[in-house]
């Protein structure tokens, strides 16, 4: 071998870290520290999971006294004045009809309306959901309630109930509600009742679980995240609907 080539082979340039490009340096740093990064990521995930579980469990605990059976709620409606029975939206099918969850909420609310009527009381229904363009959740809710026997004039619509917090805040600010009976599924009630309590409402709730629901496990996981989010939303106390025209719940629901 030529002596010059041998010298070049033995004196190959050393690639110093300071001369590397930023992307290469970052890559080397990650190769050296990935175990620490993975450990921190796992610890953060565990901490976040612990916070989710803790917040969710506390929310369920503090609202448990306000959970009523359908029979207890019917009796309460006969004994006490409620401003309304609030039905929270739960989505429509592709054909525009209420989803199974929403159908059950409306059904239970109509049963409670009938129970109050049998005691000589008229407790209006307030349907709160999303009405954006052609997507009209509240109209579908009212249509079902009327078909189930509730007079149309006793069904009020809140077209801007885009979230649980907005539905409850608007019930207070726009519809003047102070005492409310909330109807939704059991997994959703703790969050709704917690928000109602933070808004200063006198609220009780009834579960509308009339059947098993698809993807219940995923729904429970989503609800844990929503409880965590709404803990801070309710604490912040932003008001919605304060500039909208007020609605008299003693008037005609067809005007809404």
């Amino acid at each position: 071998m030529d002596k010059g080539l041998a010298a070049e082979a033995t004196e190959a340039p050393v690639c110093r870290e300071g001369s590397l490009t930023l992307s290469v340096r970052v890559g080397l740093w990650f190769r050296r520290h990935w175990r620490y990064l993975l450990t921190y990521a796992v610890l953060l995930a565990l901490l976040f999971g612990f916070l989710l579980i803790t917040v969710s469990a506390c929310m369920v605990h503090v609202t448990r006294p306000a959970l009523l059976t359908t029979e207890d709620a019917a009796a309460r409606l006969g004994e006490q004045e409620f401003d309304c029975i609030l039905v929270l939206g739960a989505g429509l099918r592709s054909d525009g009809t209420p989803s199974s969850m929403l159908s059950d909420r409306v059904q239970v609310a109509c049963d409670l309306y009938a129970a109050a009527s049998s005691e000589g009381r008229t407790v209006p229904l307030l349907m709160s959901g999303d009405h954006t363009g052609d997507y009209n959740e509240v109209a579908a809710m009212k249509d079902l309630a009327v078909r189930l026997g509730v007079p149309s004039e006793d069904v009020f619509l809140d077209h801007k109930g885009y979230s649980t917090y907005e539905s409850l805040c608007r019930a207070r600010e726009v519809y003047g509600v102070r005492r409310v009976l909330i109807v939704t599924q059991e997994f959703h009630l703790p969050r709704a009742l917690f928000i109602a309590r933070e808004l200063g409402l006198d609220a009780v709730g009834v579960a509308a679980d009339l059947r098993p629901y698809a993807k219940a496990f995923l729904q429970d996981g989503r609800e844990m995240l929503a409880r965590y989010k709404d803990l801070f939303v309710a604490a912040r106390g932003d008001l919605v609907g304060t500039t909208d025209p007020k609605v008299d719940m003693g008037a005609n629901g067809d005007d809404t």
Side-chain angles (χ1 to χ4, degrees), residues 17-45:
E17 187 170 337
S19 66
L20 298 178
T21 64
L22 178 62
S23 60
V24 174
R25 290 202 299 269
V26 170
L28 288 172
W29 188 88
F30 273 100
R31 287 181 62 186
R32 292 172 183 171
H33 299 91
W34 70 269
R35 292 183 179 86
Y36 299 106
L37 294 174
L38 180 60
T39 301
Y40 293 145
V42 170
L43 289 175
L44 286 174

Side-chain angles (χ1 to χ4, degrees), residues 7-211:
E8 289 181 11
T10 57
E11 297 178 6
V14 177
C15 195
R16 299 183 180 277
E17 187 170 337
S19 66
L20 298 178
T21 64
L22 178 62
S23 60
V24 174
R25 290 202 299 269
V26 170
L28 288 172
W29 188 88
F30 273 100
R31 287 181 62 186
R32 292 172 183 171
H33 299 91
W34 70 269
R35 292 183 179 86
Y36 299 106
L37 294 174
L38 180 60
T39 301
Y40 293 145
V42 170
L43 289 175
L44 286 174
L46 290 174
L47 177 60
F48 185 61
F50 174 77
L51 288 175
L52 284 181
I53 293 171
T54 301
V55 168
S56 184
C58 289
M59 200 172 285
V60 170
H61 176 73
V62 299
T63 58
R64 185 172 289 117
L67 298 176
L68 303 179
T69 65
T70 304
E71 294 75 16
D72 289 341
R76 187 80 66 90
L77 285 166
E79 298 168 357
Q80 299 177 355
E81 293 285 351
F82 283 89
D83 297 319
C84 73
I85 299 170
L86 174 63
V87 187
L88 300 172
L92 302 176
R93 298 187 177 96
S94 58
D95 62 359
T97 59
S99 65
S100 56
M101 282 189 180
L102 187 54
S103 296
D104 290 349
R105 294 180 190 186
V106 174
Q107 176 68 66
V108 170
C110 292
D111 292 343
L112 292 170
Y113 176 92
S117 297
S118 68
E119 297 292 333
R121 295 183 182 275
T122 298
V123 184
L125 304 184
L126 176 56
M127 307 300 194
S128 183
D130 185 355
H131 179 188
T132 304
D134 294 334
Y135 184 87
N136 195 339
E137 192 174 16
V138 290
M141 294 162 74
K142 177 164 184 169
D143 180 65
L144 177 56
V146 171
R147 286 191 281 113
L148 290 172
V150 179
S152 180
E153 61 270 19
D154 289 338
V155 183
F156 291 75
L157 304 182
D158 176 13
H159 300 264
K160 298 181 181 179
Y162 304 124
S163 69
T164 303
Y165 181 84
E166 289 172 296
S167 291
L168 286 158
C169 191
R170 287 177 56 80
R172 187 186 76 174
E173 298 297 320
V174 177
Y175 297 85
V177 171
R178 292 298 179 269
R179 302 195 67 183
V180 57
L181 176 57
I182 303 170
V183 178
T184 185
Q185 269 68 37
E186 184 176 5
F187 74 87
H188 189 204
L189 273 174
R191 180 160 58 100
L193 289 167
F194 177 82
I195 293 171
R197 191 180 75 163
E198 292 300 301
L199 289 170
L201 299 177
D202 185 0
V204 293
V206 177
D209 297 86
L210 303 183
R211 69 183 101 179

